[in-house]
Amino acid sequence: MEFVKYEVEGAVGVITIDRPRALNALNSAVLDELDATLDAVDLAAVRCLILTGAGEKSFVAGADIGEMSTLTKAEGEAFGKKGNDVFRKLETLPIPVIAAVNGFALGGGCEISMSCDIRICSDNAVFGQPEVGLGITPGFGGTQRLARLVGPGMAKQMIYTARNIKADEALRIGLVNAVYPLAELMPAAKKMAAGIAKNAPIAVRNCKKAINEGLEAGMDEAVVIEEKLFGDCFETEDQKYGMAFFLDKNKDKVKEPFKNC
Ligand code: CO8
């Protein structure tokens, strides 16, 4: 891969978008490599992913403006679909994904972070949807996911004004969960990922599915989705072990890692 690096440390996978000459902007090649990287994640071994950008300045500075500049209407729609398909694959990946946003997260960069389950950022991060200043709409899910994350009023303000916001404002409006000095961002992401990875994997996956699918349904349907995924955890090795461990009154026992079965 030229633009996407993938490393596995224990049960945590780290995907790094690495296209420094364009501040990690997403062109077709980057999207193709991301798609292939997601397909290659070993879901039997990896329990949590981190997505970040290479360097100290930019997470992802958007979709590639040079590549988009000459598109026809049909090509623009196809490019939007290409990005949406990859981002939806990321969003619906069975395991959680943490976006470690290390700088600019503009346009498609903000949008890809919003396709992740959790966003944390460095104190130099800048978020925004600058598209209307370029004569287009956010086209990789921004009109949909930003409104769901921060509410329609704030999303409309950010999108219509195309004003960038800094890390502290992103924290205030709930776009990110926490802000760290740049040097502490990846250690914090890895610590959070390790904390997720040590929990029962089937249960964690089912939580992700229940939250994502439930948010798209009415409450009556959503609680049924939850019931099924809750029931699905029973009779697993992990459920039996997790509950037996709690009920065992032996104070000297040591918790074994969950087995993912
Ligand atoms: N696309 C292509 N190249 C880029 C991009 C980008 N999004 N962002 C930065 N670059 C390139 C610059 O052109 C420059 O290249 P070069 O050195 O060859 O001139 C290099 O990266 C470094 O950038 P700057 O010199 O501009 O660095 P600064 O520190 O001065 O500025 C900024 C950093 C503020 C991030 C600035 O680069 C910038 O404003 N970039 C564009 C940000 C932007 O508008 N992003 C949104 C793009 S639109 C989008 O994402 C839509 C998504 C949906 C698409 C749907 C398709 C239908």
Side-chain angles (χ1 to χ4, degrees):
M1 299 261 176
E2 188 180 354
F3 302 123
V4 177
K5 311 290 176 238
Y6 181 54
E7 288 172 332
V8 177
E9 298 170 22
V12 175
V14 180
I15 298 177
T16 305
I17 299 176
D18 186 6
R19 192 177 168 232
R21 67 172 183 273
L23 299 182
N24 305 328
L26 304 170
N27 62 9
S28 294
V30 178
L31 290 172
D32 286 339
E33 290 189 15
L34 261 175
D35 193 49
T37 303
L38 293 175
D39 285 341
V41 172
D42 177 1
L43 294 171
V46 175
R47 298 183 180 184
C48 188
L49 284 181
I50 298 169
L51 177 71
T52 194
E56 300 192 337
K57 182 172 172 181
S58 184
F59 171 69
V60 170
D64 191 290
I65 300 171
E67 181 173 338
M68 286 188 294
S69 62
T70 57
L71 298 183
T72 63
K73 283 182 195 291
E75 289 166 343
E77 189 175 333
F79 190 55
K81 177 167 171 36
K82 188 181 181 77
N84 275 335
D85 287 350
V86 180
F87 288 17
R88 190 76 180 128
K89 187 177 278 187
L90 182 63
E91 184 170 49
T92 58
L93 206 70
I95 56 175
V97 185
I98 300 166
V101 178
N102 57 317
F104 292 113
L106 301 175
C110 187
E111 289 169 306
I112 197 170
S113 81
M114 293 190 292
S115 303
C116 299
D117 294 274
I118 294 165
R119 282 150 297 289
I120 59 176
C121 74
S122 53
D123 50 13
N124 67 334
V126 177
F127 292 81
Q129 296 291 161
E131 287 88 346
V132 294
L134 295 163
I136 58 172
T137 62
F140 288 166
T143 57
Q144 304 310 309
R145 294 194 182 93
L146 189 58
R148 284 165 168 79
L149 267 172
V150 303
M154 187 56 77
K156 286 175 175 177
Q157 181 178 323
M158 280 181 67
I159 290 171
Y160 299 167
T161 64
R163 189 178 68 84
N164 293 341
I165 60 170
K166 293 185 177 163
D168 56 346
E169 194 172 350
L171 180 65
R172 185 178 62 77
I173 66 173
L175 185 52
V176 298
N177 293 2
V179 181
Y180 298 91
L182 183 60
E184 292 170 27
L185 177 65
M186 279 310 284
K190 287 180 181 177
K191 188 172 174 200
M192 188 189 291
I196 292 170
K198 80 168 175 30
N199 289 322
I202 295 168
V204 171
R205 288 175 184 214
N206 284 9
C207 289
K208 172 167 178 168
K209 204 168 156 63
I211 293 169
N212 281 3
E213 293 184 6
L215 281 172
E216 289 170 14
M219 190 54 85
D220 287 328
E221 198 189 327
V223 293
V224 173
I225 291 170
E226 185 188 74
E227 286 157 18
K228 291 203 179 317
L229 288 160
F230 174 68
D232 188 44
C233 296
F234 287 83
E235 299 179 49
T236 62
E237 290 291 310
D238 289 347
Q239 175 263 328
K240 287 182 201 159
Y241 175 72
M243 292 192 176
F245 184 86
F246 175 80
L247 293 171
D248 183 348
K249 298 297 172 201
N250 173 7
K251 294 271 177 267
D252 298 328
K253 64 189 187 288
V254 177
K255 201 165 185 179
E256 302 288 333
F258 283 106
K259 290 186 182 140
N260 197 12
C261 59

